[in-house]
Amino acid sequence: MTAHTKRAPTGRTRRAAATPAPLRKDAARSRTAILAAARELFGSGGDVPMYAIGRRAGVGQATLYRHFADRSAIVAAIGREHLERIEQLEAAHRDDDAVLVVLRAAAETLVSIHDLVGILRRDAALAPVLGELRARMRAVLERALERSRPSDTLRDDVATDDLVLVLNMVNGALEGVTVRPRRAAAAARALELALNGLTADRIAA
Amino acid sequence: MTAHTKRAPTGRTRRAAATPAPLRKDAARSRTAILAAARELFGSGGDVPMYAIGRRAGVGQATLYRHFADRSAIVAAIGREHLERIEQLEAAHRDDDAVLVVLRAAAETLVSIHDLVGILRRDAALAPVLGELRARMRAVLERALERSRPSDTLRDDVATDDLVLVLNMVNGALEGVTVRPRRAAAAARALELALNGLTADRIAA
């Protein structure tokens, strides 16, 4: 939007010196607006062209393409943001039941980005991103499951594969459910059913 | 393939006089070949054009289009065949646990036609067929569930909605699993987990 490309960091951004150079404030604002617009449009289903995302975000085409080369880059960015949040949650949660906290957070994320997951799965250009996100999600589940091992949060024979399966099952429960509150209810019920199958049978033990 | 359009019914077909007029033997053979070819091609994923189905079935384009006006008609025919099989199974199974038999049969069907279900969901032209199949599947589940009510096969609070949810969960478990034996294993494990959540807790009762 303006010609200058660098600016002294503000008080807020200076604190994040160890992380990659922060975006200029207006650039960060544009990026946020683009991602918010994309999230909304992907959520309404159907094909979402780049120009529609730029228009909804209220940014010019030049700004749009400066941030994201194509639609796949936007989908990847949204997917990574959600996964980072789950990774941070897992890292912060030191209790035995971290695995349940992670599964619930992942189920809630699927409610938010179910349509985006569909795009990720169908768009061949996004296969590497899908692979990356799957591997990271699997790693989070594995860490949380290992941490829960000493407790009887889940049955002893539960493996990381089962947790991946449960998330796929929750995502499947959202298929064809377009109304957001009904989606949240379907995800919660699906997770409850699947977890009933994975939690330790304390009575029989 | 031949000019005559009617033929005296054979001993075998005469018995079925109450049902719609049977296809001539060679026409029935073509239809079966077309559906078998379509099933195979849909199973390999990706877009499947009509000419590819005709070629794989070894029938000419004229024969192909005499049986099915378009790809949607083929997808609909395959979906209906599978559903009829489940309906017949439900009608024949008079025991308390019919609901489990139906769920297992439906899960196995999803393993066979997972890709076809994806086409049914994505192709707007097939929305009425998808609606019809969903309604029929729901009706089968409802009948089987009602019949199981006097027994403790499933918990008392289980509703037809839960069973529909379970099948969506099983279908979700198949997403991204391309190898057939792994699909069958994922479906079986998903159904097991979900059913654990729906079966009566006999110990606590």
Side-chain angles (χ1 to χ4, degrees), chain A residues 15 28 32 34 38 41 53-54 57 59-61 63 67 73 90 94-95 104 122 140 145 172 189 191 193 204:
Chain A
R15 268 181 247 129
T32 304
I34 292 165
L41 290 170
I53 297 172
V59 303
Q61 296 295 301
T63 303
H67 284 283
E90 192 277 329
R94 312 310 300 175
D95 298 341
R104 276 187 206 112
R122 283 193 297 276
V140 176
L145 180 61
R189 181 73 167 147
L191 186 60
L193 289 181

Side-chain angles (χ1 to χ4, degrees), chain B residues 22-192:
Chain B
L23 288 171
R24 274 193 350 245
K25 227 178 201 167
D26 57 349
R29 208 179 293 126
S30 297
R31 191 177 189 277
T32 304
I34 292 166
L35 292 180
R39 256 186 235 108
E40 251 184 79
L41 290 171
F42 289 139
S44 65
D47 197 38
V48 181
M50 280 294 269
Y51 76 84
I53 297 173
R55 197 163 54 189
R56 172 72 67 109
V59 302
Q61 295 295 301
T63 303
L64 176 63
Y65 283 94
R66 196 158 53 237
H67 285 282
F68 300 102
D70 52 25
R71 208 187 60 144
S72 298
I74 298 181
V75 171
I78 297 175
R80 288 192 182 110
E81 276 190 359
H82 281 282
L83 204 63
E84 273 157 30
R85 229 167 292 153
I86 295 175
E87 285 169 340
Q88 286 162 6
L89 187 73
E90 192 277 329
H93 206 93
R94 311 310 301 175
D95 298 341
D96 283 349
D97 66 345
V99 66
L100 299 183
V101 173
V102 167
L103 282 171
R104 276 186 208 114
E108 277 162 29
T109 300
L110 287 172
V111 171
S112 301
I113 63 165
H114 176 69
D115 300 284
L116 195 109
V117 171
I119 296 171
L120 267 167
R121 281 177 165 162
R122 283 193 298 277
D123 188 342
L126 285 165
V129 178
L130 180 60
E132 174 208 318
L133 296 177
R134 275 192 173 138
R136 286 169 62 181
M137 188 66 229
R138 197 189 161 79
V140 176
L141 291 169
E142 192 153 33
R143 284 197 297 275
L145 180 62
E146 281 315 310
R147 188 141 8 103
S148 81
R149 288 289 188 208
S151 72
D152 59 352
T153 307
L154 297 181
R155 278 201 328 254
D156 288 348
D157 63 328
V158 172
T160 309
D161 276 347
D162 292 315
L163 305 186
V164 173
L165 187 78
V166 164
L167 291 184
N168 281 335
M169 290 167 74
V170 170
N171 194 53
L174 305 177
E175 208 62 58
V177 184
T178 50
V179 186
R180 186 66 171 264
R182 288 197 50 221
R183 269 197 189 170
R189 180 72 168 149
L191 186 59
E192 186 199 340

